[in-house]
């Protein structure tokens, strides 16, 4: 079976499937490869496998990466692994799949379809008659309901989740374009990847304080969402969590050591002001595409205004915007030619920060008039660099900033 897959053995002894090489209509993904448990279905692994009808995944799978099953237009059946926590961007684009249970015959009660886990708790995986409102019960036939999902593309308008339920599964409500209101219980602890993605009618969400995990792209493309209050126990606002929420204007971030990951608020074009506690760490591209955003961060000496980093779409240069001007922090892709502007977003470009392009594969760099300084080791390790244009405006060049060319 190993010869049906191109895969990588990871440093922790697990395996990532990088590509499926077969042409079967039904695929049973192995639990181990070379004795290593398979935990990740990698990017594009099954992309455009148009003959594929059914896939059975092992419960060892914890992540399905971006575009993994994109374009599998005949794929209609796939079990959801018990440990699945992350679903990457566009993992199931142009793919009609809905998750089904594996090795556990679904039962029915009150129009709900559900399965039991190893502890005897119920997981709701679907519903027979989708009305305008669905109320998820705390128990089914005496079994405690702890997880809910299986409502992908449902026509429901309102959802009430009863106390005791702890998790919304990956893809649980993705594509519920008519969903306007969700009432979350205090018991909720996790919302899976793409859990409410593309719920375009949602305008406001109030997440309970006990929620500790929001997975990647949980609310992506909720284009009517205007207000979000994040729970106080949340530590990570993950990749793409609220990306392309174009109507979002009001975000309340809890106090504490919160990390805002790459693209968490990508292209939230209506977001103009956000106040962050002092300990929040922001990824350089967390707010890319938020064109008018000003960030205020609370510090010991009072508030200080910050501006997010912004990326040039053509040369992929990343600028950090500050009160006094913009600074170049590097680039997101190895472009052959890089042009650094003298002005960016109406601010003067003051300089290139230390180590900004360290080890990058850039070949030519043109720095425009107005830039004042090039920091230490800015281009160190750029072994392919053969042309560097430095304007007369540059007054300072740090140690080891420019390699021997």
């Amino acid at each position: 079976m190993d010869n049906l897959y191109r895969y990588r053995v990871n440093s922790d002894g697990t395996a990532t499937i990088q590509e499926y090489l077969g042409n079967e209509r039904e695929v049973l993904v192995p639990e181990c490869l070379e004795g290593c448990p398979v935990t990740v279905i990698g990017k594009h692994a099954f992309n455009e496998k148009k003959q594929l009808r059914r896939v059975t995944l092992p419960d060892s799978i914890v992540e399905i990466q971006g575009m993994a099953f994109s374009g599998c237009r005949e794929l209609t059946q796939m079990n959801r692994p018990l440990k699945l926590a992350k679903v990457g961007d566009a993992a199931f684009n142009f793919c009609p799949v809905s998750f089904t249970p594996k090795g556990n015959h679904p039962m029915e009660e009150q129009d709900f379809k559900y399965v039991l886990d190893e502890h005897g708790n119920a997981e709701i995986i679907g519903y027979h008659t989708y009305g305008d409102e669905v109320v998820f019960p705390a128990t089914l036939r005496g079994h405690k309901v702890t997880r809910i999902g299986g409502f992908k593309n449902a026509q429901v308008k309102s959802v009430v989740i009863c106390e005791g339920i702890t998790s919304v599964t990956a893809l649980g409500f993705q594509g519920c374009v008519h969903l306007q209101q969700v009432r979350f219980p205090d018991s909720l602890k996790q919302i899976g990847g793409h859990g409410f993605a593309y719920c375009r009618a949602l305008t406001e969400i109030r997440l309970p304080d006990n929620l500790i995990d929001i997975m990647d792209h949980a609310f992506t493309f909720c284009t009517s969402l205007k207000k979000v209050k994040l729970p106080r126990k949340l530590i990570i606002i993950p990749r793409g969590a609220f990306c392309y929420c174009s109507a979002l204007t009001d975000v309340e971030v809890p106090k504490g050591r919160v990390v805002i990951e790459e693209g968490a608020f990508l292209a939230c074009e209506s977001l103009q002001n956000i106040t962050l506690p002092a300990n929040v760490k922001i990824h350089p591209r967390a707010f890319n595409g938020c064109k008018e955003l000003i960030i205020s961060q609370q510090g010991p000496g009072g508030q200080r205004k910050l501006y997010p980093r912004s990326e040039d779409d053509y040369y992929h240069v990343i600028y950090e915007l500050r009160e006094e001007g913009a600074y170049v922090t590097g680039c997101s892709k190895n472009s052959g030619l890089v042009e650094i502007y003298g002005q960016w977003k109406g601010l003067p470009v003051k300089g290139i920060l230390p180590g900004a392009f360290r080890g990058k594969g850039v070949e030519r760099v043109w720095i425009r008039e107005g830039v004042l300084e090039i920091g230490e080791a800015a281009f160190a390790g750029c072994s392919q660099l053969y042309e560097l244009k430095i304007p007369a405006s540059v007054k300072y060049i740090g140690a080891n900033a420019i390699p021997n060319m």
Side-chain angles (χ1 to χ4, degrees):
M1 183 178 289
D2 291 13
N3 60 0
L4 290 175
Y5 300 93
R6 185 170 62 84
Y7 60 93
R8 179 183 71 245
V9 175
N10 304 313
S11 59
D12 62 356
T14 62
T16 295
I17 290 178
Q18 296 173 304
E19 184 180 4
Y20 172 64
L21 303 174
N23 292 294
E24 299 297 322
R25 298 176 72 176
E26 295 190 8
V27 173
L28 175 64
V29 175
E31 189 169 354
C32 292
L33 289 167
E34 289 187 34
C36 302
V38 176
T39 58
V40 178
I41 305 296
K43 290 183 178 180
H44 304 277
F46 289 83
N47 188 39
E48 296 290 340
K49 293 292 182 180
K50 296 180 180 178
Q51 80 290 346
L52 200 57
R53 302 286 196 278
R54 180 176 181 176
V55 173
T56 303
L57 299 173
D59 283 333
S60 56
I61 297 294
V62 298
E63 181 180 5
I64 298 174
Q65 294 184 346
M67 304 288 286
F69 293 93
S70 180
C72 297
R73 296 178 184 271
E74 302 299 322
L75 179 59
T76 58
Q77 295 184 58
M78 178 186 295
N79 64 294
R80 186 186 55 75
L82 290 174
K83 297 179 181 178
L84 181 65
K86 291 186 177 182
V87 178
D89 194 21
F92 295 96
N93 262 19
F94 308 108
C95 172
V97 71
S98 58
F99 285 137
T100 57
K102 172 190 167 196
N104 189 348
H105 187 71
M107 294 172 278
E108 298 182 8
E109 176 75 7
Q110 304 175 28
D111 285 329
F112 291 101
K113 294 200 306 186
Y114 68 97
V115 294
L116 300 180
D117 64 17
E118 64 271 25
H119 304 294
N121 296 322
E123 176 186 332
I124 293 175
I125 60 170
Y127 193 59
H128 281 306
T129 54
Y130 295 113
D132 284 349
E133 181 178 79
V134 176
V135 179
F136 288 90
T139 61
L140 287 169
R141 291 186 183 176
H143 298 284
K144 183 179 178 181
V145 178
T146 57
R147 297 165 63 87
I148 60 171
F151 279 64
K152 182 181 178 185
N153 299 327
Q155 300 300 304
V156 63
K157 293 182 179 180
S158 176
V159 165
V160 178
I161 305 173
C162 285
E163 193 64 36
I165 294 170
T166 60
S167 178
V168 174
T169 62
L171 304 176
F173 295 88
Q174 177 177 303
C176 294
V177 295
H178 301 290
L179 182 60
Q180 300 172 11
Q181 182 180 7
V182 181
R183 191 186 305 168
F184 295 104
D186 290 337
S187 56
L188 192 71
K189 294 183 178 180
Q190 184 183 72
I191 296 175
H194 290 253
F196 292 91
Y198 301 95
C199 293
R200 301 183 188 275
L202 269 179
T203 58
E204 181 178 348
I205 53 172
R206 294 180 179 272
L207 299 172
D209 280 338
N210 288 321
L211 184 68
I212 56 176
D213 280 328
I214 297 175
M215 309 310 288
D216 291 0
H217 298 91
F219 295 93
T220 185
F221 279 100
C222 291
T223 51
S224 297
L225 188 61
K226 296 179 180 179
K227 185 175 182 179
V228 175
K229 181 180 180 181
L230 296 170
R232 58 184 175 85
K233 291 185 179 180
L234 191 68
I235 297 174
I236 296 174
I237 304 173
R239 182 176 181 269
F242 297 94
C243 66
Y244 297 101
C245 293
S246 53
L248 189 62
T249 58
D250 189 353
V251 177
E252 187 175 334
V253 179
K255 294 179 180 179
R257 295 185 179 277
V258 178
V259 175
I260 304 178
E261 291 190 340
E262 179 178 5
F265 295 93
L266 174 68
C268 293
E269 297 177 350
S270 300
L271 192 58
Q272 296 185 4
N273 294 279
I274 186 169
T275 300
L276 301 176
N279 290 334
V280 171
K281 293 184 178 180
I282 309 169
H283 187 280
R285 292 185 291 278
F287 292 94
N288 268 24
C290 301
K291 299 177 182 178
E292 306 298 328
L293 179 63
I294 296 177
I295 299 175
S296 299
Q297 190 160 26
Q298 298 167 340
Q303 285 198 343
R304 58 190 179 98
K305 284 187 178 179
L306 300 175
Y307 293 78
R309 296 186 183 183
S310 174
E311 184 174 339
D312 166 22
D313 291 334
Y314 190 81
Y315 293 106
H316 304 289
V317 174
I318 301 170
Y319 297 86
E320 182 178 283
L321 309 180
R322 303 178 183 176
E323 291 271 12
E324 70 276 13
Y327 292 84
V328 174
T329 67
C331 60
S332 63
K333 295 183 180 179
N334 282 330
S335 303
L337 171 64
V338 169
E339 182 173 355
I340 295 169
Y341 304 121
Q343 279 201 336
W344 181 251
K345 301 286 186 181
L347 294 170
V349 177
K350 296 286 189 176
I352 302 168
L353 293 180
F357 293 88
R358 186 193 299 271
K360 293 289 186 180
V362 295
E363 298 173 358
R364 295 184 294 160
V365 176
W366 297 350
I367 304 173
R368 294 304 184 191
E369 190 69 29
V371 177
L372 300 176
E373 60 184 54
I374 301 173
E376 290 82 357
F379 296 95
C382 295
S383 57
Q384 300 178 52
L385 183 63
Y386 67 86
E387 181 182 2
L388 178 61
K389 293 184 178 180
I390 300 175
S393 59
V394 171
K395 305 301 181 185
Y396 170 79
I397 298 177
N400 303 313
I402 302 170
N404 295 325
M405 293 167 22

